[in-house]
Amino acid sequence: MGKRKSTESSLPTFFDPDDRATRRLRRQRALFIPKYLQQEAVGAHLAIAAQENAFKIATQWAGLETSGALAQHKETSIDTQFLDQLFGTGLGYRVKTASPNAWELEHKFTVAGVGTAPTAAPAYP
């Protein structure tokens, strides 16, 4: 049986390595999936200043989740703030009212047989 390759990296991360074990114990899903964050970070779709702003906003939200501050609120009461701050301000997604012919973010999208869901499409090509 082969050895497992190390996934350690010198890149900055949102997660403390011990955090994964804690989430497993609590049977709680992560707000951001570390594997996908690392994959997307390699692509560097944003300019440095925009990337730093997006990282600041994402770490703020990760900190709110880690501290338990988000658990005090119903998801539906803060979902618009999350979408506006992270996807709008941080990642540059546009809403219909700001860009009627080329938008990527819709706060409530109706899915037949399911209901409404917040949605976003990639802002980069």
Side-chain angles (χ1 to χ4, degrees), residues 82-102:
F82 175 78
L83 290 170
D84 285 343
Q85 290 174 20
L86 184 63
F87 288 93
T89 304
L91 298 174
Y93 287 39
R94 298 169 293 188
V95 293
K96 291 177 186 178
T97 55
S99 182
N101 297 321

Side-chain angles (χ1 to χ4, degrees), residues 58-94:
T59 53
Q60 177 186 0
W61 277 92
L64 289 170
E65 191 277 330
T66 301
S67 71
L70 295 181
Q72 299 173 19
H73 307 284
K74 289 188 175 186
E75 181 180 342
T76 54
S77 73
I78 58 173
D79 64 351
T80 301
Q81 294 170 32
F82 175 78
L83 290 170
D84 285 343
Q85 290 174 20
L86 184 63
F87 288 93
T89 304
L91 298 174
Y93 287 39
R94 298 169 293 188

Side-chain angles (χ1 to χ4, degrees), residues 5-110:
K5 289 184 180 178
S6 174
T7 57
E8 298 278 327
S9 171
S10 61
L11 297 173
T13 178
F14 286 109
F15 301 97
D16 177 2
D18 297 328
D19 187 43
R20 288 187 189 138
T22 303
R23 277 198 317 272
R24 280 191 206 114
L25 289 175
R26 294 188 309 190
R27 295 199 180 279
Q28 183 180 43
R29 293 177 57 187
L31 181 60
F32 302 104
I33 301 171
K35 175 176 79 172
Y36 296 119
L37 279 177
Q38 290 292 48
Q39 288 174 356
E40 289 300 316
V42 173
H45 301 291
L46 301 172
I48 298 299
Q51 187 175 14
E52 289 174 1
N53 186 46
F55 183 79
K56 178 184 167 190
I57 293 169
T59 53
Q60 177 186 0
W61 277 92
L64 289 170
E65 191 277 330
T66 301
S67 71
L70 295 181
Q72 299 173 19
H73 307 284
K74 289 188 175 186
E75 181 180 342
T76 54
S77 73
I78 58 173
D79 64 351
T80 301
Q81 294 170 32
F82 175 78
L83 290 170
D84 285 343
Q85 290 174 20
L86 184 63
F87 288 93
T89 304
L91 298 174
Y93 287 39
R94 298 169 293 188
V95 293
K96 291 177 186 178
T97 55
S99 182
N101 297 321
W103 54 273
E104 300 94 10
L105 176 63
E106 183 171 344
H107 289 126
K108 300 291 180 190
F109 180 79
T110 303

